[in-house]
C-alpha cells in the first residue's frame, strides 16, 4: 500500500533523500555512506527505513551494484528535484538577506527570447551582476506547466493555450510579427512578390501541431486555397531549423520576425518576399496567481514592461 503525501511529509528526511541520490550515483551503499559520512550499518538502517516508508523496495541488488527499480527511479527523480529546490532556497535567501545575488528562473517562447527577454536580462545583469539567472525556452503549454508547478517564477508566453487560465496572471507585452525565411542559397531569395503557391514545390520546416504558429501556417495555406505541403519536417528547435536551412537550399520555414532578423543579420538565412496575412496572438508575462514574486522577478518585470 502506497503511503499518503501527509505520511511521506512527516516521515521522510532530507538526508534520507540525499542517501537515495548517492546510492544511485555510486551504485553502492558503501560508497554512498562514505560520501554522506555515514557508517555502513547506519546507511543500511536508513535505507531500510526509507523503503519501509514507501512500503516497497527501491533498489535491485545485482553483481554490478545497486540499481534502482522502476519505483526507485521515480522516487530518486523527485529526490533530486527536492535537493535542487533546497539549493535554490539558499540562493534566494542570500538575495533577500544581502539585497544582491539570489536566483531567478524564467521561461520564454522562442520569439520572446529574441524579442524582449535577452535585452531585459542584459539590463538586469548590469544592475544585479551577481544574480543567478536560469532561462528555459519552450512552448507555451510547457512553460505554463512549469509556472504552475513553481519550477519557473514567470514565463513570457501565450495564455490562450492554458487549460485553466484562471490559475495565472497575465500582463500583455507585444505582438509577434512573422517572416518566411530560407537558407541564403534558396533559389527564390531575390524573387519579388512571392505567394504561397510559389513555395509549394519546396520542403517546409513547421512547428509541432500543439503550437499556435503551426495553426497560423495551416490557416494561411487554407485561406490561399492550398493544402499544407506534404511531408514537412516538424520541430520547435531553432538550432535544428537553422542547421536544416544551412544544409538544404530548398527548405523554407515560418518563424518570428525578431528571430529571423538575427539569422539574417548573421547570414544564416534570407527572408523571402512573401506577406504573412494572419496575425499571431500577442504574448505577455505569465505568473502563478496568488503568489508573490521575488525581488529579482519584480526587477525583471520592470525591465520587460518599462514601468517602475
Amino acid at each position: 500500500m502506497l503511503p499518503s503525501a501527509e505520511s511521506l511529509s512527516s516521515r521522510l528526511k532530507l538526508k534520507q533523500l540525499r542517501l537515495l541520490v548517492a546510492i544511485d550515483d555510486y551504485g553502492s551503499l558503501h560508497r554512498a555512506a562514505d560520501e554522506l559520512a555515514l557508517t555502513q550499518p547506519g546507511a543500511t538502517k536508513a535505507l531500510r527505513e526509507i523503503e519501509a516508508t514507501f512500503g516497497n523496495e527501491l533498489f535491485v541488488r545485482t553483481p554490478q551494484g545497486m540499481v534502482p527499480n522502476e519505483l526507485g527511479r521515480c522516487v530518486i527523480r523527485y529526490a533530486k528535484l527536492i535537493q535542487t529546490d533546497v539549493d535554490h532556497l539558499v540562493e534566494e535567501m542570500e538575495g533577500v538577506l544581502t539585497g544582491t545575488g539570489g536566483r531567478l528562473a524564467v521561461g520564454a517562447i522562442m520569439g520572446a527570447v529574441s524579442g524582449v527577454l535577452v535585452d531585459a536580462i542584459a539590463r538586469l545583469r548590469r544592475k544585479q551582476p551577481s544574480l543567478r539567472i536560469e532561462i528555459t525556452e519552450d512552448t507555451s503549454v510547457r512553460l505554463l506547466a512549469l509556472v504552475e508547478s513553481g519550477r519557473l517564477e514567470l514565463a513570457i508566453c501565450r495564455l490562450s493555450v492554458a487549460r485553466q487560465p484562471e490559475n495565472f496572471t497575465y500582463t500583455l507585452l507585444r505582438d509577434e510579427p512573422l517572416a518566411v525565411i530560407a537558407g541564403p542559397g534558396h533559389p527564390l531569395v531575390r524573387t519579388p512578390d512571392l505567394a504561397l503557391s510559389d513555395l509549394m514545390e519546396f520542403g517546409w520546416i513547421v512547428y509541432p501541431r500543439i503550437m499556435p504558429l503551426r495553426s497560423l501556417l495551416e490557416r494561411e495555406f487554407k485561406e490561399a486555397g492550398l493544402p499544407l505541403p506534404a511531408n514537412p519536417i516538424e520541430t520547435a528547435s531553432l538550432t535544428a531549423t537553422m542547421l536544416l536551412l544551412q544544409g538544404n537550399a530548398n527548405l523554407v520555414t515560418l518563424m518570428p520576425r525578431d528571430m529571423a532578423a538575427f539569422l539574417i543579420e548573421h547570414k544564416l538565412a534570407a527572408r523571402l518576399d512573401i506577406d504573412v496575412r494572419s496575425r499571431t496572438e500577442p504574448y505577455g508575462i505569465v505568473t502563478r496567481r496568488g503568489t508573490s514574486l521575488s525581488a529579482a522577478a519584480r526587477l525583471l518585470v520592470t525591465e520587460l514592461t518599462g514601468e517602475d
Side-chain angles (χ1 to χ4, degrees):
M1 180 177 177
L2 286 175
S4 65
E6 183 178 353
S7 173
L8 288 179
S9 299
S10 62
R11 296 176 65 183
L12 277 178
K13 301 179 179 67
L14 289 177
K15 194 161 187 177
Q16 291 177 321
L17 299 180
R18 289 179 60 203
L19 176 62
L20 293 180
V21 174
I23 296 172
D24 183 47
D25 287 342
Y26 294 106
S28 162
L29 184 61
H30 178 73
R31 293 184 62 190
D34 288 344
E35 175 68 17
L36 299 181
L38 296 172
T39 64
Q40 179 75 26
T44 301
K45 179 182 177 183
L47 179 58
R48 287 202 195 101
E49 291 174 349
I50 296 168
E51 291 181 326
T53 296
F54 283 99
N56 290 272
E57 291 190 349
L58 302 178
F59 293 89
V60 178
R61 281 70 175 174
T62 73
Q64 290 74 37
M66 297 182 65
V67 179
N69 57 26
E70 187 172 355
L71 180 61
R73 288 193 296 271
C74 174
V75 173
I76 289 166
R77 185 172 74 251
Y78 280 95
K80 289 179 178 179
L81 289 173
I82 292 169
Q83 281 194 191
T84 300
D85 284 343
V86 172
D87 292 339
H88 293 166
L89 170 62
V90 173
E91 291 171 356
E92 291 195 27
M93 287 173 61
E94 180 184 5
V96 170
L97 295 174
T98 65
T100 60
R103 172 186 172 271
L104 173 62
V106 56
I109 56 175
M110 182 176 67
V113 171
S114 58
V116 295
L117 182 59
V118 168
D119 288 343
I121 291 292
R123 293 191 297 271
L124 180 58
R125 287 284 287 184
R126 286 194 290 269
K127 297 175 181 178
Q128 295 282 340
S130 58
L131 176 65
R132 179 183 172 190
I133 302 172
E134 297 179 16
I135 301 173
T136 299
E137 179 187 324
D138 214 323
T139 64
S140 291
V141 171
R142 292 173 181 153
L143 291 174
L144 290 170
L146 291 172
V147 170
E148 189 163 27
S149 67
R151 297 294 165 194
L152 295 177
E153 198 162 2
L154 62 90
I156 307 169
C157 61
R158 297 183 176 88
L159 189 58
S160 61
V161 297
R163 293 183 178 179
Q164 295 178 299
E166 66 275 8
N167 292 345
F168 304 96
T169 60
Y170 178 78
T171 303
L172 174 67
L173 283 180
R174 57 175 292 184
D175 294 324
E176 188 177 38
L178 303 172
V180 177
I181 64 170
H186 193 279
L188 298 182
V189 164
R190 293 178 178 82
T191 304
D193 301 322
L194 292 170
L196 280 179
S197 56
D198 299 318
L199 303 179
M200 289 297 294
E201 63 182 279
F202 297 101
W204 277 79
I205 305 169
V206 302
Y207 290 96
R209 293 184 180 276
I210 62 171
M211 298 181 66
L213 290 183
R214 170 65 175 269
S215 300
L216 183 146
L217 182 63
E218 292 177 347
R219 186 166 66 247
E220 283 281 306
F221 275 97
K222 183 176 181 180
E223 291 178 355
L226 299 168
L228 190 71
N231 305 316
I233 299 172
E234 292 192 16
T235 181
S237 166
L238 175 63
T239 302
T241 298
M242 179 179 66
L243 293 174
L244 286 166
L245 292 177
Q246 291 291 301
N248 188 336
N250 288 317
L251 289 173
V252 298
T253 190
L254 175 78
M255 72 166 48
R257 192 182 298 170
D258 288 316
M259 188 58 70
F262 174 84
L263 298 181
I264 294 167
E265 178 185 353
H266 291 83
K267 304 187 185 307
L268 299 172
R271 185 174 178 180
L272 300 181
D273 187 18
I274 182 170
D275 198 24
V276 181
R277 298 175 183 175
S278 300
R279 291 291 174 263
T280 62
E281 176 197 349
Y283 57 73
I285 303 169
V286 178
T287 60
R288 188 170 51 167
R289 187 177 298 278
T291 60
S292 299
L293 294 180
S294 67
R298 292 196 299 271
L299 287 173
L300 179 59
V301 170
T302 298
E303 296 297 338
L304 289 166
T305 61
E307 299 175 358
D308 293 328

